[in-house]
């Protein structure tokens, strides 16, 4: 009986929210949209996205928080966030609705002058012998690299650990070492020949960039617009 009452209460709240937004123009919609994102997706393109969103919904406040994907998922389930953007393995949670998903690869990247750049079928141990510029241990990129190293009975000894991917990319561009990051982060630098992807044997790890929300969350016009603009930004700026 208690579960039935809770379900009915949630449905009533959803209907009430829908009624409040009926007949409203975009510039009349107000309130707060709580957005969660991993740090690496708060990038130079975010300013353009947020500007366009604010133009469409000037009275909606964007409350943007950064965290790791597993934490973002918990915040969605606890109704601490309305929508989230994460990166990792494909989410398979019955409480979660995936609004957008696209695969991206994790790759080793170095300065074009690095001795490994341009080589074919590089062994993992050769990469790990380089100065490593890595994210902290609780990031999905670091966890995946730790697993790869463990499979080769190798040990990772980073020269620098920092939970900021843009800073890591800048350090790699300055020739300080090798990093392991999603391709979407550095594709402009690859095109501009500021960085090189290393051809490492067995390195074909693919993960998913995903926009998700709670299955029972009503997708308001303001929330739908954010999802659509974010999806368009990924498709426009990030290749696979």
């Amino acid at each position: 009986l208690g579960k039935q009452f809770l379900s009915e209460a949630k449905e009533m709240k959803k209907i009430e929210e829908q009624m409040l937004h009926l007949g409203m123009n975009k510039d009349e919609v107000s309130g707060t949209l709580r957005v969660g994102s991993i740090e690496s997706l708060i990038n130079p393109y975010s300013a353009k996205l947020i500007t366009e969103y604010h133009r469409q919904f000037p009275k909606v406040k964007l409350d943007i928080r950064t965290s790791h994907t597993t934490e973002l998922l918990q915040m969605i389930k606890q109704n601490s966030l309305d929508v989230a953007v994460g990166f990792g393995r494909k989410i398979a949670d019955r409480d979660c609705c995936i609004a957008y998903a696209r695969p991206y690869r994790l790759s080793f990247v170095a300065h074009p002058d690095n001795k490994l750049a341009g080589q074919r079928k590089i062994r993992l141990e050769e990469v790990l012998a380089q100065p490593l510029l890595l994210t902290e241990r609780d990031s999905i990129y670091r966890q995946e690299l730790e697993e790869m190293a463990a499979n080769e009975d190798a040990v990772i000894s980073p020269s620098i650990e920092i939970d900021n991917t843009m800073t890591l990319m800048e350090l790699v561009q300055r020739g300080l070492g090798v990093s392991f990051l999603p391709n979407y982060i550095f594709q402009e630098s690859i095109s501009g020949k500021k960085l090189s992807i290393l051809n490492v044997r067995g390195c074909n790890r693919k993960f998913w960039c995903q926009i998700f929300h709670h299955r029972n969350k009503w997708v308001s016009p303001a929330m739908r617009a954010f999802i659509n603009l974010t999806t368009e930004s990924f498709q426009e700026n990030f290749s696979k």
Side-chain angles (χ1 to χ4, degrees):
L1 183 62
K3 288 184 178 179
Q4 180 182 351
F5 176 79
L6 182 59
S7 176
E8 290 176 354
K10 287 180 178 178
E11 188 63 26
M12 288 294 292
K13 189 174 189 307
K14 183 189 296 187
I15 293 171
E16 182 182 358
E17 289 175 339
Q18 292 172 340
M19 291 177 66
L20 284 171
H21 284 82
L22 285 176
M24 281 188 171
N25 294 322
K26 289 181 179 180
D27 58 359
E28 295 176 326
V29 177
S30 61
T32 299
L33 184 66
R34 303 166 301 170
V35 178
S37 176
I38 58 170
E39 175 274 331
S40 64
L41 289 169
I42 301 296
N43 54 67
Y45 304 113
S46 299
K48 180 180 177 182
L49 186 155
I50 292 169
T51 300
E52 176 58 24
Y53 184 85
H54 183 68
R55 185 189 68 78
Q56 294 188 23
F57 295 88
K59 294 183 180 178
V60 175
K61 174 188 173 184
L62 279 179
D63 181 1
I64 302 176
R65 314 173 201 178
T66 59
S67 190
H68 298 293
T69 301
T70 52
E71 294 171 356
L72 294 175
L73 179 58
Q74 288 304 310
M75 293 169 77
I76 286 288
K77 296 176 72 170
Q78 294 165 3
N79 196 34
S80 300
L81 292 174
D82 298 312
V83 62
V85 187
F87 182 82
R89 293 178 176 85
K90 199 76 172 284
I91 294 174
D93 191 299
R94 64 183 182 182
D95 294 328
C96 190
C97 179
I98 308 299
Y100 172 82
R102 186 176 182 181
Y104 293 93
R105 295 190 181 279
L106 285 169
S107 299
F108 289 100
V109 63
H111 190 277
D113 292 338
N114 187 286
K115 68 177 184 179
L116 298 180
Q119 294 188 25
R120 295 180 60 81
K121 297 182 179 180
I122 303 166
R123 299 193 311 276
L124 180 61
E125 62 187 71
E126 294 180 85
V127 179
L128 298 183
Q130 294 284 308
L132 297 175
L133 316 177
L134 302 178
T135 51
E136 296 176 353
R137 286 181 178 271
D138 55 355
S139 78
I140 185 68
Y141 326 132
R142 179 64 177 275
Q143 291 172 7
E144 192 64 20
L145 181 55
E146 294 278 359
E147 182 178 321
M148 290 171 59
N151 290 337
E152 298 285 335
D153 295 322
V155 177
I156 294 175
S157 300
S159 299
I160 295 175
E161 284 185 347
I162 182 170
D163 204 17
N164 186 299
T165 52
M166 291 298 128
T167 300
L168 284 176
M169 189 176 69
E170 176 68 24
L171 295 174
V172 175
Q173 288 180 174
R174 292 174 181 267
L176 269 67
V178 173
S179 194
F180 186 63
L181 297 167
N183 287 20
Y184 65 76
I185 292 176
F186 50 74
Q187 64 183 30
E188 276 197 358
S189 296
I190 296 295
S191 300
K193 298 183 179 181
K194 297 178 181 178
L195 293 174
S196 292
I197 295 177
L198 302 184
N199 188 347
V200 180
R201 285 191 310 199
C203 184
N204 55 0
R205 306 297 173 111
K206 185 181 290 186
F207 288 86
W208 294 82
C209 181
Q210 300 166 90
I211 305 173
F212 55 98
H213 58 83
H214 198 285
R215 189 169 299 280
N216 294 329
K217 171 72 68 174
W218 175 55
V219 181
S220 67
M223 185 168 153
R224 172 57 58 194
F226 180 85
I227 292 172
N228 290 343
L229 287 171
T230 305
T231 299
E232 290 169 8
S233 179
F234 287 147
Q235 293 172 342
E236 178 184 349
N237 298 302
F238 298 147
S239 66
K240 297 183 181 181

